[in-house]
Amino acid sequence: MKNSGERYGMHMIKVICMGDSITEGFGVEPSESYPSVLQNLLGEEYRVVNKGVCCTTALNVENEKGVMGMPYMREVRYREALQEKGDIYVVMLGTNDAQDGMDDTQDFKYEQNDMISRKADFVPCYRQIVQAVKAASPGAVIYAGLPIPVQECIWRKHQESYLKEIRACIKEAAAAEGVSLLDIEGAFAALPKEEQLKLYQEDNLHPNQEGYKLIARTVAGVLKNKRHDFT
């Protein structure tokens, strides 16, 4: 059954959310993921599609042992996101690129997950994703989301110091491709530290329900403020 916008001939603005577990909605019900909350905030004039995949990286690189990490570009949902031919794309990757592959407890490094060692490849890979969106959906508005801060994560391979480096790479890639930044990080960082911590699950990496709501409000605020007209 078509929704009301399609029934009455109104153009539905299609928003495609591309990203990792923070987009997919790790640790909460599907209805509590940020794309689902975003759908509720934007209303029936929009259709929000969640194409996030847990554990994925923007990096799509190999070494002598094979593929490193879990490249988003190799996932089925990445191809589906391009096939959706959306009006707006929100790309939020980088959190899993900001890790060094260290074991949780022992001084042992998993080389295939030492993504920060390949930081030099991040900008070309990120640009490849943006270029693929441009090719699939000419005229689409693309936003590059700056990932939320990493707190004192229970998995020591994830470090805020690494993510700062990755955010700088995202800014560089976005500037090179002429796409706008979406300051998700800033929405969290603007809060006092104790208030930030209340927005995270126990791992101090993923948002909880309230954290996902803040991401959704931040994205919705930008999209509504821009008043994109795709009619």
Side-chain angles (χ1 to χ4, degrees):
M1 179 178 178
K2 293 184 177 181
N3 57 41
S4 59
E6 293 171 319
R7 284 202 306 271
Y8 297 112
M10 180 177 66
H11 177 78
M12 300 291 295
I13 299 175
K14 189 187 294 187
V15 181
I16 313 300
C17 300
M18 303 172 75
D20 50 36
S21 56
I22 296 175
T23 295
E24 186 172 2
F26 176 87
V28 299
E29 295 297 323
S31 62
E32 297 168 332
S33 69
Y34 104 73
S36 292
V37 179
L38 179 63
Q39 176 69 77
N40 293 334
L41 293 174
L42 293 176
E44 62 181 12
E45 295 180 9
Y46 292 78
R47 183 163 79 85
V48 180
V49 181
N50 187 343
K51 291 299 177 182
V53 182
C54 284
C55 301
T56 50
T57 60
L59 280 166
N60 182 17
V61 294
E62 300 182 20
N63 59 16
E64 65 279 359
K65 295 182 179 180
V67 178
M68 295 184 67
M70 188 172 163
Y72 183 66
M73 281 187 272
R74 300 186 184 219
E75 293 293 319
V76 171
R77 298 192 92 188
Y78 168 72
R79 296 192 293 274
E80 292 174 349
L82 300 178
Q83 293 166 359
E84 284 283 353
K85 300 188 181 300
D87 299 300
I88 299 172
Y89 281 81
V90 178
V91 181
M92 192 160 61
L93 289 160
T95 298
N96 294 313
D97 299 275
Q99 61 167 298
D100 58 17
M102 287 297 295
D103 184 80
D104 292 341
T105 57
Q106 302 181 48
D107 289 332
F108 177 82
K109 179 175 289 189
Y110 298 91
E111 292 183 21
Q112 295 308 100
N113 289 326
D114 184 9
M115 310 309 294
I116 198 65
S117 69
R118 300 296 296 267
K119 186 184 75 169
D121 297 302
F122 184 91
V123 171
C125 289
Y126 198 98
R127 291 186 66 181
Q128 186 178 346
I129 293 172
V130 174
Q131 289 165 4
V133 171
K134 289 179 177 179
S137 301
V141 176
I142 305 170
Y143 288 97
L146 296 176
I148 69 172
V150 175
Q151 305 295 341
E152 295 298 322
C153 182
I154 62 172
W155 303 302
R156 63 175 177 170
K157 62 188 176 183
H158 291 283
Q159 300 285 337
E160 174 61 19
S161 60
Y162 298 148
L163 192 51
K164 286 181 180 178
E165 298 177 40
I166 293 300
R167 289 194 197 97
C169 292
I170 293 172
K171 292 175 182 178
E172 180 182 340
E177 292 297 328
V179 301
S180 298
L181 292 171
L182 221 167
D183 193 6
I184 307 297
E185 176 212 4
F188 281 68
L191 299 172
K193 190 70 171 182
E194 60 272 17
E195 294 301 317
Q196 287 186 50
L197 292 173
K198 294 177 183 178
L199 300 175
Y200 287 78
Q201 298 177 40
E202 291 182 1
D203 60 19
N204 277 334
L205 181 71
H206 294 94
N208 57 23
Q209 294 177 16
E210 293 305 313
Y212 284 121
K213 288 178 183 178
L214 178 55
I215 295 174
R217 289 197 302 271
T218 304
V219 176
V222 170
L223 299 191
K224 288 182 176 181
N225 185 56
K226 294 293 184 181
R227 297 185 181 277
H228 298 294
D229 184 5
F230 299 99
T231 56

